[in-house]
Amino acid sequence: MSAVTASSPQRLYPVRRRVPLTRVTKVELRKMFNTRSGFWLMASIVISAVLATGGVILWAPDDQLTYSTFATAIRFPVVIILPLIAILAVTSEWSQRAGLTTFTLIPHRSRIITAKAISSVLIAFAATVLAFAVGALGNLLSAGVTGTTPVWNVTLTQCLYYLLGMLLSLLTGFMLGVLLRSSTGAIVAYFVLTFVLPIVFGLLGDNQLWFHDLQPWIDIQFAQGGLFVFERALTAEQWAHIAVTGVTWLLLPMAIGLGFATRAEVK
Amino acid sequence: MITVEGVTRKYGSFTAVDDVTFTAHVGRVTGFLGPNGAGKSTTMRIMVGLTRATAGTITISGRHYVDLPNPGLDVGVLLDASAQHAGRTGREILTIAQQYMGLPRSRVDEMLDVVSLTPSEASRRVGNYSLGMRQRLGIATALIGDPSVLILDEPANGLDPAGIRWMRDLLRSYADRGGTVLLSSHLLHEIEVIADDIVMIGNGKIVSQGTKTELLHAAGTVVRAADLPRLDRALGQLAIATTRSQAGALLTDVDPVLVGKVALEAGVALSELRTADAGLEDMFLALTATSPREGTTT
């Protein structure tokens, strides 16, 4: 046992300033990487982007080796992993009980949740940049292999759509994390919401005439479908679909979840 | 200084903490003693704003915890050493605390040194730590901001005897330098060894509180001698009431010093003279007897 060397109380750090949100955000960002699960989730974004690119080069027909094909292929794995990152960033405070320390060091929980939201959005930005960068490399590489000129058929507007799609899927995870505060519960709910529910809605829309017209106003996945199609600009009605489903599926549950999260005891 | 005033916490019809009032003073180690489920942890959680009080207030050096701009620099908190992300290394957990508080990086290594965690231990993930190592890491997290108040919930749990000795010395010197320490325990002996003041709680209510000497004195003196009847007569002449214990010792309410003087004057050779701690212990046992959780160590 070493001798006690902590110096006398109240001498070392006499200045008291409110912890700025930028600092809290920086720490929250670090916390997304410094666990084993967090690290591998981040790594899996890069790995899956590279694998998807490789898959396109190997198996896509030559006439489809365009930038948009690469971006679309990379999107599939990334859009699944991003929400998981957001979920775990929130739920680990409860599931792993790390919040006992976090919420005593920063007693205003809304600030922690805000910082987590900001850092999740930053990750979504980074993931989008990475997706386009890896896609570009793949596009150049495949053009080199086939000896053709690379086709850059993605406009800036389409890039922004893509980014918005990434953000919305990440926010779905974030909302579930805040609402359920349990890793398992939130992940299961996420898969139900993104994979099971669209199938149910699809069947309903195909077989029930009354639902067919309602579907874009209710089915958030359906409403966002246009964001990842590199073809045409969204119509005003499509934007309205995104706005309405966003409010009902994201903002409302998020507001309810925030109410719980700021009060719920960390046991 | 921690001031707890009339704090009550109800969960539905169950009252976890019932009108608790006490003060943890500067320069002293206050032991918060009670069986498991008595309300110690709930009271401590209310102190740091994790749980809301149904009634009453708690202030730390005159301020509410949630109003502290950077709480880690004023109050060191260890509520549950196991409440950490198992996938993080010990060093990372300390680094997170260091960064939240905005402290210099070197502070992490200083604290690892203070709690005797080696660099290789610090780079292991907390999931592989023993409870004793987690407690050390928790103490390091509590101390890293050089706070003037420490709130520790069962910090000696899982420490080996050398570790308990180390913690006792650490808290003692911390209090001697003007710090305020509040620590809880469900073990009477642990509190007796470390604390200056004792607050005993049972079923959410404060049962007894005071300085350790006061509480122990209230229990009186135990004395044994070769010629016990003669000592008994000598005490009787001074109107000091005595009772004979089952173990063959004499019990009185007065101070051991007085009993010693009487024995000297009566010329009785003593074989044992000590403060009876039975009072506190009896009270504690009575408390734990009504609680079904007696003896568990969580």
Side-chain angles (χ1 to χ4, degrees), chain B residues 136-174:
Chain B
R136 285 168 186 279
L137 183 66
I139 300 269
T141 313
L143 287 174
I144 195 168
D146 194 33
S148 60
V149 176
L150 280 182
I151 298 175
L152 312 171
D153 196 0
E154 303 265 2
N157 255 5
L159 290 179
D160 52 23
I164 291 179
R165 176 71 177 268
W166 162 81
M167 161 107 61
R168 191 174 76 199
D169 295 346
L170 183 132
L171 297 182
R172 179 76 271 144
S173 68
Y174 180 86

Side-chain angles (χ1 to χ4, degrees), chain B residues 188-232:
Chain B
L188 174 62
H189 173 69
E190 218 169 76
I191 290 285
E192 237 186 299
V193 168
I194 304 181
D196 303 310
D197 298 325
I198 298 177
V199 177
M200 202 196 274
I201 186 171
N203 297 319
K205 288 195 183 75
I206 292 206
V207 189
S208 164
Q209 59 175 312
T211 66
K212 182 166 69 184
T213 12
E214 268 169 25
L215 290 180
L216 293 181
H217 262 251
T221 301
V222 179
V223 61
R224 286 171 201 271
D227 192 350
L228 211 52
R230 196 159 132 210
L231 178 62
D232 200 2

Side-chain angles (χ1 to χ4, degrees), chain B residues 73-84:
Chain B
L73 302 184
D74 289 310
V75 189
V77 183
L78 170 59
L79 291 183
D80 185 343
S82 296
Q84 289 296 354

Side-chain angles (χ1 to χ4, degrees), chain A residues 16 23 28 34 97 104, chain B residues 65 74 80 88 92 100:
Chain A
R16 295 285 177 277
R23 199 200 287 162
E28 289 307 325
N34 72 2
R97 304 175 63 224
T104 38
Chain B
Y65 187 89
D74 289 310
D80 185 343
R88 233 169 239 143
E92 270 303 320
Y100 273 137

Side-chain angles (χ1 to χ4, degrees), chain A residues 69-160:
Chain A
T69 311
F70 283 104
T72 310
I74 294 170
R75 180 203 152 237
F76 278 108
V78 172
V79 92
I80 293 172
I81 299 166
L82 271 185
L84 297 185
I85 290 174
I87 286 174
L88 292 183
V90 179
T91 56
S92 65
E93 301 290 351
W94 277 271
S95 284
Q96 295 276 348
R97 304 175 63 224
L100 218 54
T101 311
T102 311
F103 299 141
T104 38
L105 289 180
I106 311 289
H108 300 277
R109 293 187 200 177
S110 55
R111 303 187 72 213
I112 291 283
I113 292 172
T114 309
K116 283 183 188 297
I118 296 172
S119 40
S120 301
V121 166
L122 289 177
I123 296 286
F125 268 100
T128 307
V129 171
L130 179 107
F132 279 114
V134 173
L137 284 177
N139 201 21
L140 285 173
L141 190 69
S142 72
V145 169
T146 56
T148 51
T149 26
V151 184
W152 303 101
N153 57 347
V154 176
T155 65
L156 181 65
T157 322
Q158 285 165 345
C159 283
L160 293 177

